[in-house]
Every structure is written in structure tokens, then in C-alpha cells.
Amino acid sequence: MEERACACTSSPAAGRGTPRTHAARRARAALLAAAVLAAGCSADEYLGEMRGNEPPVVYLSNGPLEGDTTCYSVHFFWLGEDGDGAIDHYEIAVVDGDPIGFHPADTTGPEKWTRTVSTDSALIMTADDYDTSVVINQSLYGKFQKTHTFFIRAVDDRGAVSETAFRSFTAYTLAPNVYISYPKMTTNPDLGAQRFSMITTFRWYGKDPIDQPWNYQEVDSVRFLHMPYSSSLEVDLNANPERYEHLWSRWYWYHHPGDSGQMTVIGDDELLTGNSSYAFVVQAKDDAGAVSSVFSKRTNIRHFMPMTPTGPLLVVREPYMGSFSFLGVDMRGEQFDVPPGFLMRFRWTADASSYGGVVSGYRYGWDVEDLNNPGDWACASNPYILSAVPQTFYSGVHTLYIEATDNLGTRTLGTIQVDIIPVVMTRDVLWIDDMPSSEFASQLYAFPRESEHDRFWMDILLMAENFDPGQDVYDVLENHYYPPPMDLIWKYRNVIWTYSRAYDPEAGSYWNKLVKYTPEGSATQLNLNYLPYYLAYGGHLWTEGEGHRSGGLAAVMYLKAGQIFPNYIRCEFGGASTNCSDTTGAGTMAYRDFCVTVIDKVEGVIKPYVPVRSREFDGLHHAVLERYDPVVALMEGFPKKLELWEQVTAPGYFFDPADGGFHFVELYDTWYYMRMINKSSQRCFHPLYRQVSMNTRSVLNEQPIAFWHTRYAGVVPSPPGCVAAPSVHFGMPLWYFNRAQVDSIARAIFNVWQIPVAYGEETVVRRSLVTGSAPEGDR
């Protein structure tokens, strides 16, 4: 028996008894002293006869009832009394069997008894006799038990021994279970052997149900065997386990270090024959001595066949490129195009569990010339190298090699070729037509037909002397909604991107997919938006399009909860916030690269705690040029007033002022909300045009709807002829505005970007030859 804390019995009904030892002695001494004092100060000796010693009495106060069946962890309590003295100690003994069935020698001799001064004892009893199998929650468990008798006697301070009290009971337990966890079971075990390597690592874990399956602890010890497999093995192990006793290893403590307690390697010391069937079996034992009595190929038997493996399965991940798998040595690898300056962060894991191997190390290197030369790799093979140092390239073709090796020396090599988009930037301007439409019949000027929108922008672009309609246009609709290739973007110094708010996973404006910001952890593959890289390299952007509801720069927020306005991008990416506990939005293109702090809408989901809003009140009547910004003050040619096209606002049409005015507008850094959150605009944000609302008392009146962003305005790209300049954004489609005023805006932007512009008759001729356009005022 083992004395320890009880695991599965309740506390006693009464408190522990305390023997009358020192207290009784002090009481007798006090009585004696009183008697001496009562007799006066006589010098006569105290005379009398020594009385006979009465034996103490002991009885059990709590514990298993006589003949009870209980769990194998038991707790006994007792009380003792000695009427003419004090109890000195108790002696306990536990034997297997009941008072009739146990061997008398078990309680003969003082060495069989355990001495204690306590009045309770928690005991772990053996329960190693198989009783039966029971089904609990559709699972089969072996039940083990054993009968024991507990003896207790008291000894007083003069050596007298009480009569022995005893209690017989039966301790039981459920047999422990053990599960092979490695190699993973990849197929139905009834369909045949798994293919493992010639040296296979097995791992397992054990659960020991104490009295119910859900009340379990760790197993005490384990043992294992391996042998040639036969189809009758599983049945015979369960029916006749004694036949296999000579094949088992010794019992190992569950936490024994190394090759024993929870894992072992088969094939390092044992001779296995390739393509032959073997069985590996694990058995567990609990602290009551019960052993696993149920053997199953789904739990503790693994049927396997040794083989020479292909190699570990290597999985490589990069947040923007996604994940890809490699097996064995395949030099074809994966290939990706990335923009210059793109920061690549590769991570990897490998798994050899399908064949019982263990990954022993990884190494990697960029542009490795000789795979057999350790000096060409970035590091030596190491099991803890699970990522590469973040890497950036600005030109060329580069290959990342990643090697995973198992404990047999078998390796898998993954190769990833990265082509850095060449920076050409020899052409002046590219128009990306990302505002798909159709040739619908009715025209209330709510939305342009495809041909109308094409003609509008073609007339603007034909003012650029070197613009070629045959090669300087990328139509997303005509390209089946595929995005503009990155290598196309880097051929141009300047890019104009016009978009709609239409979003569809397969169709719609690609802008909404491109600018969507997916922070790490929000998706298996992050969205690669190459526009910030183009800006950072010194390219210039003119972006414009539908700005109402979820369109415009608000498309950076992929979560619907973030589509609530006004929106402090840095802190409200995932929804309205008052404490800025989540600053995910700081990584969006709108905040980081376009320098916008707040996005606001005429039409959208408006926060309930901001001033009352309405389309009739907040709609755009016209726009005025910024008067105070120092960057805008240095630019020439911009009209002071930008009005809606008279066709758009005609009576009865969609944007008739009598029906609420123009609302396809997105606004930026609106002062009333900036004041509420106590923020100022970023230094790289420069308003260009401000809205004049339908009612000048609107909180949106005189708020920015177009702006320059200058975070990268000082960068000069390396190709000859490139210049440093800011980029510009309009929060509404310019197709809805006065043609002559829009032409003036385009010329002014082209001048800032130093794009040669055709004037007067030359522009008219170019337009008439390409689009058949009428003079500016009639377009």
C-alpha cells in the first residue's frame, strides 16, 4: 500500500479524533499537586498501590463501509480512548482478502504493522484483478478490482494494546487507456498497413479513468512490443493476452526520460525487413496495478510496413503569396512576381509523421549556387530554423531554397523563384479603366454608359502629347476582370485609376479587391496591394471614382463592421471605437500611403452619435479650390470652382437638386469629427477641393473631397526622365462634372507631373481623330 492524499472519496462526516495524551497527563499531575497541598506541608511520602492498566479502545469513524465496493483511493478515519492513561500511537495494517480469506502471516509480527500518531490515513490500494469489461458512452473499458481488509489498533503509554478493529472492502478501478498519436493514422486501419520508414518513431499518450471516464489522470507506466503482423493478432491479444507476455518490454514510468515513457524508436536497434508487415502495440498501467485490457488498431495497435520514404512534407508560407507544399526533391518549384522593395517573410514547417519519421533539421538560402556546399546556405541545418530573415530585392530574379531533413537523412527541397518586376517607367501615363458599365437604354445620368465614360476619359488623356490609345489603356472589363499586371504598371511614370464601388468576387471593380487590407491573422493569404510599392518607388497616382457607401478609400476596410462613418481609420478599422485599442487601420493604404485620417460619407452607414445627416442637407452642390494649403498655393491652372455637369442636374434626372442633390461623394478629414477625436490631419495630406453642401449649415460643408498626398512626393525614380511629384485623389467620379473645368484640372495635374500637354487646335484634332468628340463645352 502507499499512503497519499485521497483522489476520489469525500471528507468524513465528523472532524478528526484527538487522543488524550499530554492533556491527560497534565490533568493527573494537577490532581496530584492539589492532593499534596491539601495535606499540608508534611514531609511524609505519598503512599499507595499501583492500579492495573486498562487497554485502550479504538474504533473506525469513517471510511468505506464493511463489504463496500469503492474506488481504489480510500481514506480511513478513527478515534481512540484510554480511560486510565493516554494513547501513545496507533498501528495499522492492510492485507489482501477479507478476514476469512487472507493469510494469517500477513498480520503476524510487528514488521507487518505501520506505526502512526495520526487519526486518519489516505491509502492507494491495488486493484489488479481483471473483473469484466464495461461499456460507457459507447466505449469499452476494462474493470479491475481486489478485496482488502484494513486493520487498526491502539497502543497506550504503558504498552497496552487495544482489540483490533477492521473493515473489509473491495477496491476497483477502470483500466487505463493508451493511444498511439504518432505516426498519424492516415488511412482506415482495416484497409491495410501504413507505410512507415525503416526507422520509425512512435509516440503515445495515456489516460487513466479513476472511477468514471471523465475523471481521469495520467497513467503510471507503460510497456510496448513489436512483432510480425497477422490478421488474427487484434482478436488474439484481447482473448489471450498471456500468450504475448514474453514479447513485452519492461514497464517504464510514464515520465521516464528518453526512449521509453512516451515514445520509442523502432528500427534503430531492431532489424526490420522492408515491405514486411509488423505490429506495434502499447499497454498502460495505472497506480492501482490495472493494465490496458482492450487492444484496438484504432488506439494502441499500429499495423505498418517499413519502406524507404520520399521525404518530409514541407509547407512554406508567405503572408501575401499564400502557402505551397513540397515533397521530395523537385527543382521546378514555385514562381512569383513581386514589386521592387516588397518585403518577403517566409515561414515553414515540415511533417514526416505519415511514415513515422521525425524532422531533424531545416536550412535555407537565397540564390544557392552549390546545394552540396554548406557555405552557400544561410545557416546550418537546425530543427529550430522555421523562418527566413525578411528579405527585400529591387531588381533581378532570385530563388529561395528551403531544405527539410528527417532522422533517416531523407530530404525535401522546396524552391521559390521570385521575379522582381523591372522598373522601366519610360511611358508618360497609363489609364486603368476600372469602372465597368454597359450600353443601357435609359439615361437619367445616374451612371455613365460604357462608351460615354470611355469617351470622357479618352478626351482628357488625348491632351497628353505622348498618350497612345492603343497601348496606354487597360480596360478591366475587356480583360475579364483580371487585374492590371504589375509589370505593366512599372512601365509608366504616372497612372490614372478610375473605379466604381461595384464589388463582386468574380466581376465588378477590381479596385475594391486590390486596396482591401487584410492584416495578418485575418486570412490564410493576405491581399497584395502593389499600389503602395509603386508610390514608394516614385510613381504618381491619380485615383478617382464612386465614393458613396462602401466605395472609394473606404474599400480598404474589408470588415463590414468597419464600414461605418465617419471613420477614424487608424482605430476604427474593425468598427466604432472610443479607446483606440486596435490600431490595425494604421497599415491601410488610405491611412499610411494616402495620408487620410478620417473617411466620411454623404451616403453610407452613419454613426448615431454624430450630428444629424441627410442627403438633402449634406449633398454636394459644387466644389471650391483650397485657398490656404501651401502645396496647392504653388500649383497653377486649377479652376477655383468645380461645378456639376448641367446634364447631371437637369430637372427630373437622378441628381436633380430638388430631389436631394449629388451624393456619390467621399469626404476626408472632416473637421467636426477630427475635433471630436482630438486629431489633426497628417502632414502629407493637402486638401485640393472642398465641398459646398446643399445647405451650408451641413457639417460636411467646406470639407475636403479631393486632395494631394505627399508621403512619397520627394522620391525620384531611377529611370531617366522621371521627376518627384505628389499624387492626387478625388472622392467622386469626375464624369459628373463640368467638362471645361475638368479639362483644366487635368492640364494642371499633367503640368505638376511634367507630362507634355497639347493645347488648342492640336487637342481638338487629336480628339476628333480618335473619339470624334465635339468641342469641350458640348462633350
Side-chain angles (χ1 to χ4, degrees), residues 51 53 184 246 321 353 392 449 528 536 553 689:
R51 295 176 56 186
N53 183 27
K184 296 177 182 178
H246 65 288
M321 298 178 190
S353 64
T392 297
R449 296 187 180 99
L528 175 56
L553 293 184
Y689 280 96

Side-chain angles (χ1 to χ4, degrees), residues 22 67 89-90 94 198 330 381 467 472 495 503 525 617 749:
H22 300 290
H89 64 273
Y90 300 94
V94 180
M198 297 298 294
D330 186 353
S381 185
F467 175 76
D472 296 336
V495 173
Y503 178 81
Q525 180 174 345
F617 208 71
I749 293 173

Side-chain angles (χ1 to χ4, degrees), residues 625-699:
L625 184 67
E626 168 65 29
R627 292 175 292 173
Y628 303 109
D629 188 88
V631 171
V632 176
L634 298 175
M635 297 176 177
E636 298 179 350
F638 288 95
K640 293 183 179 181
K641 189 174 185 180
L642 178 59
E643 299 170 302
L644 288 163
W645 185 26
E646 59 184 12
Q647 292 285 88
V648 171
T649 58
Y653 284 178
F654 190 77
F655 292 111
D656 183 350
D659 292 332
F662 187 77
H663 59 275
F664 284 7
V665 184
E666 188 173 63
L667 300 96
Y668 310 100
D669 288 16
T670 45
W671 69 271
Y672 77 95
Y673 195 66
M674 297 285 281
R675 187 170 60 180
M676 287 177 64
I677 62 176
N678 194 29
K679 295 296 176 183
S680 300
S681 293
Q682 299 180 59
R683 288 183 295 176
C684 50
F685 176 84
H686 301 276
L688 177 58
Y689 280 96
R690 293 179 179 270
Q691 165 175 304
V692 176
S693 299
M694 297 295 293
N695 190 311
T696 56
R697 289 179 297 170
S698 166
V699 293

Side-chain angles (χ1 to χ4, degrees), residues 478-498:
E478 291 181 0
N479 284 277
H480 307 287
Y481 300 101
Y482 281 99
M486 279 189 282
D487 59 349
L488 176 66
I489 299 291
W490 260 265
K491 291 179 181 178
Y492 291 85
R493 303 184 183 112
N494 312 284
V495 173
I496 300 174
W497 196 310
T498 61

Side-chain angles (χ1 to χ4, degrees), residues 3 16-21 56-61 77-82 86-93 110 113-121 150-157 160-163 165:
E3 188 168 349
R16 296 185 179 182
T18 303
R20 296 185 302 162
T21 52
V57 176
V58 67
Y59 57 90
L60 289 165
S61 61
F77 296 81
W78 55 84
L79 294 173
E81 296 180 357
D82 186 26
I87 293 177
D88 184 75
H89 64 273
Y90 300 94
E91 294 176 345
I92 60 176
W113 295 83
T114 299
R115 179 170 173 162
T116 180
V117 295
S118 178
T119 57
D120 74 302
S121 181
F150 175 81
F151 296 90
I152 176 74
R153 64 190 184 189
V155 180
D156 69 11
D157 53 354
V161 180
S162 70
E163 290 194 17

Side-chain angles (χ1 to χ4, degrees), residues 178 226 237 293 392 433 450 506 571 593 629 656 681 694 718:
V178 63
H226 81 280
L237 259 175
S293 58
T392 297
D433 180 5
E450 181 71 19
E506 304 299 330
C571 300
D593 305 292
D629 188 88
D656 183 350
S681 293
M694 297 295 293
S718 57

Side-chain angles (χ1 to χ4, degrees), residues 312-317 323-326 347-351 402:
L313 176 63
L314 174 65
V315 179
V316 182
R317 298 177 179 87
S323 62
F324 15 89
S325 302
F326 303 92
R347 295 181 176 274
W348 52 79
T349 57
D351 184 9
I402 306 165

Side-chain angles (χ1 to χ4, degrees), residues 56 73 95 98 105 109 149 195 213 387 472 537 611 617 755:
S73 177
V95 299
D98 55 31
T149 301
R195 297 274 183 168
S387 64
D472 296 336
Y537 204 82
F617 208 71
I755 297 175

